[in-house]
Amino acid sequence: MNASVTERLSDFQWPTEGVTRVPYRVFLDRDIYELEQERLYRGQTWNFVGLEIELAQPGDFKTNFVGDTPIVVTRDKEGNLRSFVNRCAHRGSMVCLENSGNRLSFSCPYHLWSYDSTGALRGVPFQHGISGKGGMEEGFRMSEHSLQTLNVTTYNGLVFVSFQQDMPSIETYLGQRMRENIDRVFNRPIQLLGYNHQYLQNNWKLYFENVKDSYHASLLHLFFATFGLNRLSQKGGIEVDETGGHHISFTKMNTDEGREGEYQKSNLRSYQSKFTLEDESLLAGRPEFDDGVTLAIQTIFPNLVVQQIYNTLAVRQIVPKGPSETELIWTYFGYADDDDTMRNIRVKQSNLIGPAGLISMEDGAIGEIVQKGVIRDEDQSSFVEMGGTGVESQEHRVTETSIRGFWQQYRAFMNF
Ligand code: FES
Ligand SMILES: [Fe+2]
């Protein structure tokens, strides 16, 4: 890391109130963004990069990102998962330009240096020159010019990579409660249904705050509350792991009888309408989890969301692209044993989410609206005291506890 970055940040002080205040500078500052790449994405984190089902066969590969660094994940010919930085050891070109495919060797587009699926250099055109002229020096060793490799691990079909070799196991990193929800969603073989890529004109952490913010769901999302899908009066809760970085928020449907008064009292816009759906099949679904949980949103620090919204299952990857740019990659799936009706239910319900989703389109907009709001005031802070000032699990969702948890873990990594 460029020493001047840390020097320029030497005046940066987190507000004395702690995690109930978030300085707007963290959403705006290029130096903070640079430091995040090093301390967080290249630090002691497991970064979600895909599903094992996307890399089922030897030779299968996909390109992705850790922070903003391009990487490749492959399954080598022995069947092991591998990962390397997508940057040629010659002069830095990205080696692989495809999203995914199947191949056991990767040839850089620039001068065709070729690498195998472990990232080892296997061929250099004109290594010995032409007619004895030119070429590499005598001492050139291909073995000294491999692609930079990353540490790879999996948990129940999810693939994670790390720049650090010395990492806790993924089981330890996730912790027991987070593993339980992953096991609950990934309870049998899955089937991919499709992808969305969404581009947000805001800092990645504003999206992370949004996903951890159950307080906004019935307020910002008119569709949710208008059709009675999600009210804070329904039974649910928030669980925050001991680091604060991971969380699960869950809701049980149809559990708010007699608890709706607060909505009527508050005269909320979402409660005033008497709209009904013209076509109820949009929301037709099947109960499929024994625990009655109809909505479970889980975050794994620093870049993963595991989502169950009714029968819509997805993982979302948050990819920072600059201080005010973020890409969101949605991967939708069902189970391999779904019948046709169930598959159609999942696909139809997926209209609720994604970039143009009837529910989640506002999430794509609100981060940009915040980004525009804070633009000139990096020395001011947000106020995060809903549900108290601490970081703990709570048996309701009228709280910002998991947002405070995120900032607790963020500060620990960033040393702020
Ligand atoms: S930059 Fe890759 S072969 Fe030259
Ligand atoms: Fe939302």
Side-chain angles (χ1 to χ4, degrees):
M1 172 64 53
N2 184 339
S4 61
V5 168
T6 32
E7 213 167 279
R8 283 198 298 275
L9 287 172
S10 60
D11 69 316
F12 180 67
Q13 288 265 325
W14 200 276
T16 48
E17 293 91 337
V19 291
T20 62
R21 300 293 185 282
V22 180
Y24 293 136
R25 187 168 171 184
V26 300
F27 303 120
L28 299 166
D29 192 308
R30 182 88 219 176
D31 291 327
I32 290 177
Y33 177 84
E34 298 295 333
L35 205 58
E36 287 168 355
Q37 298 301 316
E38 175 183 284
R39 294 196 176 159
L40 220 148
Y41 292 106
R42 294 187 177 209
Q44 295 276 322
T45 49
W46 282 118
N47 296 266
F48 172 76
V49 289
L51 299 170
E52 264 195 278
I53 193 174
E54 297 173 287
L55 300 153
Q57 301 302 324
D60 283 353
F61 72 89
K62 68 175 286 192
T63 50
N64 204 327
F65 295 88
V66 172
D68 56 14
T69 304
I71 60 123
V72 185
V73 194
T74 69
R75 195 174 286 280
D76 70 16
K77 61 179 190 311
E78 276 80 43
N80 302 310
L81 287 172
R82 304 279 192 161
S83 182
F84 43 80
V85 176
N86 193 2
R87 185 193 66 241
C88 185
H90 180 215
R91 280 182 20 224
S93 166
M94 278 168 51
V95 172
C96 180
L97 304 180
E98 297 148 282
N99 289 331
S100 62
N102 184 285
R103 62 174 70 251
L104 286 166
S105 83
F106 295 86
S107 176
C108 176
Y110 207 166
H111 316 89
L112 304 188
W113 285 28
S114 66
Y115 301 88
D116 68 18
S117 53
T118 72
L121 180 60
R122 295 292 180 196
V124 172
F126 308 128
Q127 182 181 346
H128 303 292
I130 293 176
S131 310
K133 296 216 167 60
M136 289 294 176
E137 297 277 297
E138 270 307 303
F140 175 79
R141 298 276 172 280
M142 282 211 267
S143 58
E144 291 166 10
H145 301 274
S146 294
L147 298 173
Q148 182 183 349
T149 55
L150 283 86
N151 195 356
V152 191
T153 193
T154 61
Y155 183 77
N156 205 348
L158 302 168
V159 183
F160 298 85
V161 303
S162 179
F163 269 88
Q164 301 296 322
Q165 291 305 320
D166 176 25
M167 281 295 292
S169 71
I170 188 65
E171 286 79 8
T172 304
Y173 185 83
L174 295 168
Q176 187 195 332
R177 182 64 190 100
M178 294 301 127
R179 293 200 309 271
E180 279 169 15
N181 189 59
I182 292 176
D183 295 345
R184 170 182 171 275
V185 175
F186 291 85
N187 58 44
R188 58 193 192 277
I190 61 164
Q191 177 187 49
L192 281 179
L193 294 178
Y195 300 94
N196 269 326
H197 289 252
Q198 180 171 5
Y199 296 88
L200 307 169
Q201 304 291 315
N202 58 252
N203 188 274
W204 66 276
K205 300 185 293 300
L206 287 173
Y207 188 78
F208 229 119
E209 280 198 326
N210 173 271
V211 174
K212 286 176 180 274
D213 176 359
S214 55
Y215 171 36
H216 83 274
S218 59
L219 303 170
L220 174 68
H221 301 302
L222 289 181
F223 189 92
F224 244 154
T226 301
F227 301 109
L229 296 178
N230 186 357
R231 295 186 182 135
L232 290 176
S233 44
Q234 290 169 339
K235 287 204 180 108
I238 293 195
E239 296 181 40
V240 187
D241 82 314
E242 50 275 18
T243 69
H246 316 316
H247 101 294
I248 305 168
S249 162
F250 62 92
T251 311
K252 295 183 178 186
M253 207 49 163
N254 303 325
T255 51
D256 65 343
E257 289 82 7
R259 308 170 74 200
E260 298 178 333
E262 289 308 313
Y263 277 82
Q264 277 146 0
K265 256 190 276 166
S266 308
N267 199 22
L268 294 172
R269 58 188 172 156
S270 54
Y271 211 82
Q272 291 160 10
S273 80
K274 289 283 166 271
F275 291 115
T276 52
L277 284 173
E278 189 79 18
D279 178 0
E280 299 253 321
S281 76
L282 179 68
L283 295 178
R286 281 186 195 165
E288 62 176 328
F289 293 96
D290 297 341
D291 53 13
V293 170
T294 47
L295 234 120
I297 303 287
Q298 175 177 29
T299 56
I300 301 298
F301 193 86
N303 76 336
L304 170 65
V305 182
V306 178
Q307 165 213 303
Q308 176 229 336
I309 298 180
Y310 315 114
N311 301 114
T312 305
L313 309 176
V315 283
R316 308 177 202 163
Q317 182 190 347
I318 301 169
V319 189
K321 295 289 180 187
S324 59
E325 309 279 327
T326 303
E327 182 177 357
L328 200 52
I329 305 172
W330 304 69
T331 305
Y332 300 86
F333 60 90
Y335 298 112
D337 62 5
D338 284 348
D339 57 28
D340 288 350
T341 314
M342 192 61 186
R343 196 170 308 117
N344 288 337
I345 285 174
R346 295 193 201 283
V347 171
K348 195 154 196 177
Q349 283 187 6
S350 72
N351 285 303
L352 296 175
I353 54 166
L358 294 167
I359 293 169
S360 56
M361 63 178 149
E362 291 100 344
D363 294 320
I366 200 67
E368 298 183 15
I369 295 170
V370 175
Q371 190 85 28
K372 286 177 178 162
V374 304
I375 188 155
R376 198 41 58 195
D377 287 301
E378 59 178 38
D379 54 346
Q380 305 281 312
S381 304
S382 64
F383 176 75
V384 194
E385 293 197 4
M386 202 73 188
T389 57
V391 173
E392 69 275 310
S393 298
Q394 297 183 348
E395 286 174 355
H396 60 82
R397 293 169 302 131
V398 201
T399 177
E400 291 166 323
T401 185
S402 49
I403 299 177
R404 291 187 288 273
F406 172 78
W407 292 111
Q408 174 180 296
Q409 179 73 325
Y410 177 83
R411 291 181 67 191
F413 269 90
M414 295 293 284
N415 206 11
F416 281 164

